[in-house]
């Protein structure tokens, strides 16, 4: 008997050990395949808001809480996020994908062909544009050549006309003048040289007639040309007058202003207006007999104390004096602060 007991004990141990091992293996295999656990879920009317809009659900898809964590069905979440959710039962997988319209291979092929065609058209257009640019460049070059040739021809024609004008008009009114032309058929500049005395000896009407006779002969050859010019002193090349013409050939003469004695005029203005209305004024004059400019300096506070009529009387008096006593055609000026020479007003 003693020998039999000593033989069973190891078997039992072995059997228990085998059972434990087989049980452990069984448990792991079962957990990998499926596990069922009791849980205590809390349903508390949980709402899902996506971009400000509530996502509807039914009793089967109602979200719940477990151990402080909120759970919601994946399909419901996919619907809210506009995703496609599928269950792959064979492989036990949840498949999530973006929603979209599948594109078949024929569509892809057609689009690729269209891209190829457009690329070819683009290359063709680029080549055509290169050719066009080259053509434009050549046309511009040819045009410049034609202009140069026309200019040379025009210069030659102007030289011929210039000779005729000197033959016909250099001795008019005893001017003993020299006439030269420059420009082209569209715009002609006339330069007439004579002594100052011969020009000033002519009356205004004779000066105008003399210039219009020259302009008329020019317009006979170049009827659409703009004609203007100057009369110069042949002794020192100073301008004596400038003139312009309209489409009818009428001449307008603008005399060139002669210089004046600015210091003398400034003293005269100081004598007249240096203590105007009890306030001190200084004067600076520049320009010529055609256009004179006067700067009047006074303390800004004193100027502001003058009435409007006093201010007008001062500026009108200065202007009239220069026009009437100094024979200046046009007068303009400024009132400036004595302290910093800043502008107060214009007149």
């Amino acid at each position: 008997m003693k020998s039999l007991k000593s033989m069973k004990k190891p078997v039992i141990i072995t059997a228990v050990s085998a059972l434990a091992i087989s049980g452990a293996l069984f448990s792991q295999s079962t957990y990998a395949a499926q596990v069922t656990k009791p849980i205590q879920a809390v349903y508390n009317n949980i709402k899902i808001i996506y971009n400000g809009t509530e996502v509807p659900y039914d009793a089967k898809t109602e979200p719940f809480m477990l151990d402080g964590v909120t759970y919601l069905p994946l399909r419901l979440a996919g619907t809210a996020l506009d995703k496609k959710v599928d269950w792959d039962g064979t492989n036990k997988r949840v498949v999530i994908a973006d929603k979209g319209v599948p594109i078949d291979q024929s569509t892809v092929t057609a689009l690729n062909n269209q891209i190829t065609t457009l690329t070819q058209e683009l290359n063709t257009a680029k080549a055509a544009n290169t050719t066009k640019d080259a053509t434009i460049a050549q046309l511009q070059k040819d045009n410049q050549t034609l202009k140069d040739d026309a200019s040379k021809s025009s210069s030659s024609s102007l030289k011929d006309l210039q000779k005729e004008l000197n033959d016909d008009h250099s001795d008019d009114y005893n001017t003993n003048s020299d006439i030269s032309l420059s420009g082209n058929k569209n715009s002609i500049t006339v330069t007439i040289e004579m002594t100052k005395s011969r020009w000033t000896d002519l009356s205004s009407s004779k000066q105008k007639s003399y210039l219009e006779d020259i302009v008329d002969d020019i317009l006979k050859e170049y009827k659409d040309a703009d004609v203007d010019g100057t009369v110069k002193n042949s002794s020192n090349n100073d301008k004596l007058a400038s003139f312009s013409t309209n489409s009818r050939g009428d001449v307008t003469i603008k005399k060139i202003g002669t210089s004046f004695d600015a210091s003398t005029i400034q003293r005269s203005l100081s004598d007249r207006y240096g203590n105007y209305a009890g306030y001190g004024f200084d004067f600076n004059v520049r320009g010529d007999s055609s256009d004179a400019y006067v700067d009047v300096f006074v303390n800004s506070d004193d100027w502001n104390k003058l009435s409007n009529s006093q201010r007008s009387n001062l500026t009108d008096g200065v202007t009239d004096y220069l026009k009437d006593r100094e024979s200046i055609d046009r007068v303009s000026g400024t009132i400036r602060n004595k302290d910093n020479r800043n502008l107060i007003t214009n007149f």
Side-chain angles (χ1 to χ4, degrees):
M1 292 295 291
K2 185 177 181 180
S3 60
L4 289 174
K5 288 181 180 180
S6 62
M7 290 176 63
K8 288 180 179 179
K9 189 174 183 178
V11 172
I12 293 171
I13 294 172
T14 302
V16 171
S17 299
L19 181 60
I21 293 171
S22 63
L25 293 174
F26 177 78
S27 297
Q28 289 177 356
S29 175
T30 302
Y31 183 79
Q34 180 175 346
V35 175
T36 302
K37 294 182 179 181
I39 63 174
Q40 187 173 5
V42 177
Y43 291 83
N44 194 23
N45 193 27
I46 299 171
K47 299 185 183 301
I48 303 172
I49 308 298
Y50 179 65
N51 285 341
T53 302
E54 183 175 345
V55 179
Y57 56 78
D58 53 26
K60 294 181 179 180
T61 59
E62 181 180 357
F64 59 87
M65 295 184 67
L66 176 63
D67 294 335
V69 179
T70 302
Y71 293 85
L72 64 154
L74 191 57
R75 188 177 299 280
L76 177 62
T79 300
L81 299 174
D82 197 27
K83 300 293 182 181
K84 183 179 179 182
V85 181
D86 289 319
W87 168 247
D88 181 359
T90 302
N91 298 308
K92 292 185 172 51
R93 299 185 307 169
V94 177
V95 181
I96 304 173
D98 292 329
K99 289 184 178 179
V101 179
I103 302 176
D104 58 32
Q105 186 57 41
S106 61
T107 302
V108 174
T109 301
L111 290 173
N112 286 333
N113 291 337
Q114 186 176 2
I115 291 172
T116 300
T117 301
L118 291 173
T119 302
Q120 292 173 347
E121 291 177 355
L122 178 61
N123 291 334
T124 301
K126 287 181 178 179
N129 189 56
T130 301
T131 302
K132 181 185 69 174
D133 290 343
T135 301
I136 291 174
Q138 184 61 45
L139 289 173
Q140 289 175 337
K141 183 178 180 181
D142 294 342
N143 185 50
Q144 187 59 49
T145 300
L146 290 173
K147 285 183 177 180
D148 293 342
D149 292 342
S151 178
K152 292 178 182 178
S153 176
S154 178
S155 297
S156 177
S157 299
L158 285 178
K159 292 296 182 184
D160 294 337
L161 179 58
Q162 176 179 299
K163 184 177 183 303
E164 293 177 7
L165 292 175
N166 279 293
D167 291 341
D168 295 340
H169 301 290
S170 63
D171 290 330
D172 287 357
Y173 302 107
N174 196 32
T175 56
N176 193 26
S177 60
D178 181 63
I179 305 168
S180 59
L181 303 178
S182 62
N184 53 54
K185 65 180 181 179
N186 297 316
S187 179
I188 298 175
T189 300
V190 185
T191 302
I192 304 171
E193 296 185 11
M194 66 178 74
T195 62
K196 181 178 180 180
S197 59
R198 291 180 184 274
W199 175 253
T200 56
D201 285 346
L202 296 177
S203 64
S204 297
S205 59
K206 285 185 178 180
Q207 290 175 349
K208 183 178 176 68
S209 296
Y210 170 69
L211 296 176
E212 286 183 342
D213 289 343
I214 295 173
V215 171
D216 285 344
D217 284 352
I218 294 173
L219 293 178
K220 287 177 184 177
E221 297 293 330
Y222 302 97
K223 63 179 181 178
D224 295 324
D226 294 326
V227 182
D228 57 19
T230 58
V231 180
K232 291 187 175 183
N233 187 342
S234 57
S235 300
N236 55 19
N237 210 36
D238 285 347
K239 286 184 179 181
L240 301 175
S242 62
F243 64 92
S244 59
T245 61
N246 58 22
S247 58
R248 298 188 303 273
D250 299 328
V251 170
T252 299
I253 300 174
K254 181 180 179 181
K255 293 182 180 180
I256 304 301
T258 57
S259 60
F260 52 62
D261 187 348
S263 60
T264 300
I265 296 176
Q266 287 168 187
R267 284 196 299 270
S268 297
L269 290 175
S270 294
D271 292 341
R272 286 173 170 268
Y273 302 104
N275 193 32
Y276 179 75
Y279 302 113
F281 288 83
D282 296 327
F283 301 90
N284 179 65
V285 182
R286 61 191 187 281
D288 55 38
S289 61
S290 294
D291 292 284
Y293 305 89
V294 184
D295 294 316
V296 182
F297 298 96
V298 61
N299 290 327
S300 59
D301 290 340
D302 293 341
W303 177 258
N304 292 330
K305 293 175 184 177
L306 295 176
S307 65
N308 290 333
S309 62
Q310 287 175 319
R311 296 173 187 175
S312 298
N313 289 338
L314 173 66
T315 55
D316 291 345
V318 170
T319 301
D320 292 342
Y321 176 80
L322 292 177
K323 286 185 174 181
D324 298 339
R325 297 292 299 271
E326 301 296 336
S327 300
I328 295 173
D329 295 333
R330 186 173 61 183
V331 178
S332 56
T334 63
I335 306 295
R336 295 182 177 274
N337 190 339
K338 272 187 178 183
D339 293 335
N340 52 24
R341 306 178 75 86
N342 286 345
L343 177 67
I344 298 175
T345 188
N346 295 295
F347 68 91

